[in-house]
């Protein structure tokens, strides 16, 4: 089983879209990662090579578990405003499907990702036509962004990310306990230009993508943090500017994994209960393009 075949990034995309479209602006406190303030230890020669090898192998080792419980904390900031969302659920690494409950501000969101389609049901809200669920086609969103078959914001394209990481890009920070498990913390810099669709992604993300990973003694991911600044249309930001010009959207995502091998059973809602909101969700980026 290869992690590169999964759709883990769909969870990240879902949280981003759900938070921006459905939530107001909240507090400005940011996600904190234990040990981030500790000075990185220098990784040279053989140590750097060992760290690079472990980081590159981590996604495949994680995928071998088949599934896991996952948590996600995301913050999106723009124009001095911040949207925060927290989610928890289960992900199937083989199919990339997931089921989660997300709390975004004061709203509870039931979310499913099935075959790269995001479904959400928001407490106290109805989709057009009075339907309880709305959906966003993540494949269509990726295509519109010029990323082909890539997924928007996908942090888990194993083969691609592995090729974009070199020895000098991996720094061992230290060891930490996460959920009772011993982990090794690494800081990684990904060369965006070496990723599939890298030319287009570089326009949105810049030349490098900072990432942090925490690996357990079996080499599996226990935590992954990605911090990025995205050039986004004003309509997609937390506080749109009346000029509707390009703005900077800062996004920090922390994903955690535990209970590997847990049972996962994800099904899409029935078609009659779903309203397709793909075009509306992407309207701002379409105008920008």
């Amino acid at each position: 089983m290869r992690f590169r075949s999964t759709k883990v990034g769909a969870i990240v995309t879902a949280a981003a879209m759900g938070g921006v479209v459905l939530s107001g602006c909240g507090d400005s406190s940011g996600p904190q990662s234990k040990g981030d303030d500790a000075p990185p230890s220098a990784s040279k020669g053989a140590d750097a090579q060992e760290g690079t090898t472990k980081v590159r192998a981590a996604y495949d080792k994680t995928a071998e578990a088949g599934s896991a419980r996952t948590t996600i904390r995301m913050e999106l900031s723009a124009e001095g405003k911040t949207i925060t969302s927290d989610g928890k659920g289960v992900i199937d690494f083989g199919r990339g499907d997931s089921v989660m409950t997300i709390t975004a501000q004061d709203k509870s969101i039931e979310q499913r990702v099935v075959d790269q389609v995001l479904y959400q049901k928001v407490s106290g809200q109805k989709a057009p036509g009075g339907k309880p669920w709305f959906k966003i086609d993540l494949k269509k969103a990726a295509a519109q962004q010029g990323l082909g078959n890539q997924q928007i914001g996908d942090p888990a394209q194993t083969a691609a990310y592995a090729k974009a990481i070199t020895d000098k890009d991996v720094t061992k920070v230290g060891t930490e306990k996460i959920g009772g498990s011993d982990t090794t913390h690494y800081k990684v810099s990904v060369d965006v230009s070496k990723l599939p669709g890298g030319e287009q992604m570089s326009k949105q993300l810049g030349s490098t993508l900072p990432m942090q990973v925490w690996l357990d003694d079996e080499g599996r991911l226990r935590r992954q943090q990605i911090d990025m600044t995205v050039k986004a249309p004003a309509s997609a930001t937390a506080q749109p500017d009346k000029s509707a010009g390009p703005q900077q959207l800062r996004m920090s995502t922390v994903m955690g994994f535990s209970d590997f091998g847990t049972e996962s059973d994800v099904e899409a809602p029935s078609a009659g209960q779903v309203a397709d909101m793909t075009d509306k969700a992407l309207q701002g980026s379409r105008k920008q393009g």
Side-chain angles (χ1 to χ4, degrees):
M1 182 183 298
R2 303 288 293 179
F3 205 105
R4 65 177 135 178
S5 67
T6 70
K7 316 300 185 298
V8 177
I11 299 179
V12 177
T13 306
M17 289 185 172
V20 171
V21 173
L22 301 172
S23 303
C25 300
D27 61 66
S28 59
S29 60
Q32 300 295 321
S33 300
K34 296 180 180 179
D36 284 355
D37 295 331
S41 58
S43 295
K44 304 291 185 182
D47 288 341
Q49 178 61 55
E50 180 183 7
T52 303
T53 300
K54 288 182 177 179
V55 171
R56 286 175 171 171
Y59 298 103
D60 284 345
K61 288 183 178 294
T62 305
E64 290 172 0
S67 61
R69 296 194 182 279
T70 185
T71 60
I72 182 168
R73 178 174 177 81
M74 171 171 279
E75 286 194 353
L76 298 101
S77 301
E79 298 293 312
K81 301 294 185 179
T82 301
I83 293 173
T84 303
S85 61
D86 290 278
K88 61 181 179 179
V90 176
I91 181 170
D92 181 320
F93 291 125
R95 294 176 56 86
D97 296 347
S98 65
V99 57
M100 299 190 75
T101 299
I102 297 172
T103 302
Q105 306 311 105
D106 296 325
K107 297 186 182 297
S108 177
I109 304 170
E110 184 179 345
Q111 175 178 292
R112 304 175 193 176
V113 177
V114 182
D115 294 333
Q116 297 190 56
V117 177
L118 158 69
Y119 300 90
Q120 286 188 336
K121 181 169 67 174
V122 185
S123 60
Q125 292 188 11
K126 293 289 186 181
K131 298 180 179 180
W133 291 86
F134 76 80
K135 74 175 183 179
I136 296 175
D137 187 328
L138 301 179
K139 290 184 289 186
K140 184 175 181 179
Q144 181 171 306
Q145 294 296 315
L147 303 179
N149 292 326
Q150 302 299 313
Q151 297 166 68
I152 299 174
D154 191 343
Q157 297 269 351
T158 263
Y161 276 74
K163 292 177 181 177
I165 296 172
T166 62
D167 294 352
K168 63 182 177 64
D169 297 321
V170 178
T171 302
K172 180 179 177 180
V173 177
T175 58
E176 300 169 31
K177 285 274 190 181
I178 294 182
S181 298
D182 294 324
T183 70
T184 303
H185 177 188
Y186 296 93
K187 287 189 176 181
V188 179
S189 179
V190 178
D191 184 344
V192 176
S193 68
K194 295 181 180 179
L195 298 174
E199 181 178 353
Q200 178 64 25
M201 292 176 68
S202 295
K203 295 177 182 178
Q204 296 175 303
L205 304 178
S207 59
T208 59
L209 180 65
M211 183 166 66
Q212 300 181 65
V213 296
W214 287 256
L215 310 183
D216 64 19
D217 290 342
E218 295 184 40
R220 303 172 302 192
L221 279 168
R222 288 288 179 163
R223 179 184 293 165
Q224 175 175 268
Q225 178 170 334
I226 298 176
D227 299 294
M228 63 178 72
T229 300
V230 184
K231 183 179 180 181
S235 59
T237 64
Q239 182 72 23
D241 183 89
K242 292 181 180 180
S243 65
Q247 299 185 29
Q248 297 297 314
L249 177 69
R250 294 175 60 85
M251 183 163 60
S252 179
T253 306
V254 181
M255 298 180 69
F257 300 97
S258 63
D259 295 333
F260 293 105
T262 193
E263 182 177 352
S264 61
D265 184 15
V266 186
E267 295 183 358
S270 61
Q273 298 295 305
V274 178
D276 191 340
M277 300 289 286
T278 304
D279 290 339
K280 183 175 181 179
L282 298 177
Q283 185 176 8
S285 59
R286 183 178 296 113
K287 288 180 179 179
Q288 184 62 30

